[in-house]
Amino acid sequence: MRINLLSKRYALALFELAVENNILEKVEDDIKLIDSVLQENRELRLVLANQVLDGYKKIRILNLLFEGKVQTLTIKFLQLITRKGREEYIEPICKAFVEIYKDYKNIMSVTLTTAYKADKKTTDAIIAKLKKVTDKELEVSEKIDESLVGGFKLDFEDYQYDDSVKVQLKRLGKEFSD
């Protein structure tokens, strides 16, 4: 089974249970915690991917790490995934859960890249226009890329709007060469 499909199925099951139990925000926080722990800890990822270690030892490790820090539903979910032999897919499942959550809450992730740190007024104006067009809540992350020279670049969903000086200079150069 493909990883994305598997991840979405498990994530959707957890999401529906969280909604049903009215603890969606808490479970979403749990999933973010688990994902960050896995990203920061290579050894834990290796232990979970180890085929020699049996599932019960992996469950004990997960319980020691997360019990008392996350919801009971989240712990039981991790135990189920481990018993099914899918523990190495916890990280993609976490990412799929966050995507489902954002879609449910009508939140879109946006990356605003500028050549230099933009002032708040400019950033707010750009974000306000995008918010008006998309009609979604925006989760903005800002990056600085000095190679843009000036202007900005927006990345959201499968789209990119590039209004940087670098791209404008390339277009101008192409027009002159034609």
Side-chain angles (χ1 to χ4, degrees), residues 38-174:
L38 285 171
Q39 284 183 12
E40 293 171 9
N41 196 326
R42 182 177 180 269
E43 291 81 20
L44 178 59
R45 287 192 313 267
L46 290 173
V47 166
L48 292 176
N50 188 339
Q51 300 296 323
V52 177
L53 229 71
D54 78 349
Y56 294 107
K57 289 182 182 176
K58 293 177 186 180
I59 288 172
R60 283 191 22 222
I61 291 169
L62 290 170
N63 286 344
L64 286 171
L65 284 173
F66 298 114
E67 210 163 38
K69 296 175 183 86
V70 298
Q71 298 292 311
T72 306
L73 175 67
T74 309
I75 284 289
K76 287 183 179 181
F77 183 75
L78 290 174
Q79 291 169 352
L80 173 74
I81 289 172
T82 306
R83 279 196 304 273
K84 295 285 185 183
R86 308 282 196 200
E87 61 275 1
E88 64 186 283
Y89 302 115
I90 292 174
E91 209 170 351
I93 291 169
C94 290
K95 292 190 185 343
F97 183 91
V98 170
E99 284 178 24
I100 292 168
Y101 175 83
K102 285 181 179 179
D103 189 44
Y104 178 78
K105 292 288 190 171
N106 202 27
I107 299 171
M108 182 172 67
S109 295
V110 177
T111 303
L112 173 64
T113 308
T114 55
Y116 304 98
K117 177 74 176 141
D119 63 337
K120 181 143 177 65
K121 184 179 176 184
T122 306
T123 304
D124 290 345
I126 294 168
I127 297 307
K129 286 183 182 182
L130 183 60
K131 190 174 185 176
K132 186 177 178 183
V133 170
T134 61
D135 205 26
K136 292 186 176 199
E137 289 298 314
L138 301 179
E139 187 178 81
V140 181
S141 62
E142 295 184 45
K143 288 178 22 182
I144 295 176
D145 180 3
E146 292 178 5
S147 72
L148 296 180
V149 182
F152 65 93
K153 184 169 66 170
L154 280 172
D155 293 300
F156 55 98
E157 292 180 345
D158 290 335
Y159 301 101
Q160 182 180 67
Y161 178 76
D162 196 338
D163 195 33
S164 64
V165 172
K166 179 180 176 180
V167 167
Q168 291 174 14
L169 287 172
K170 280 184 181 178
R171 286 184 196 141
L172 194 59
K174 187 175 180 182

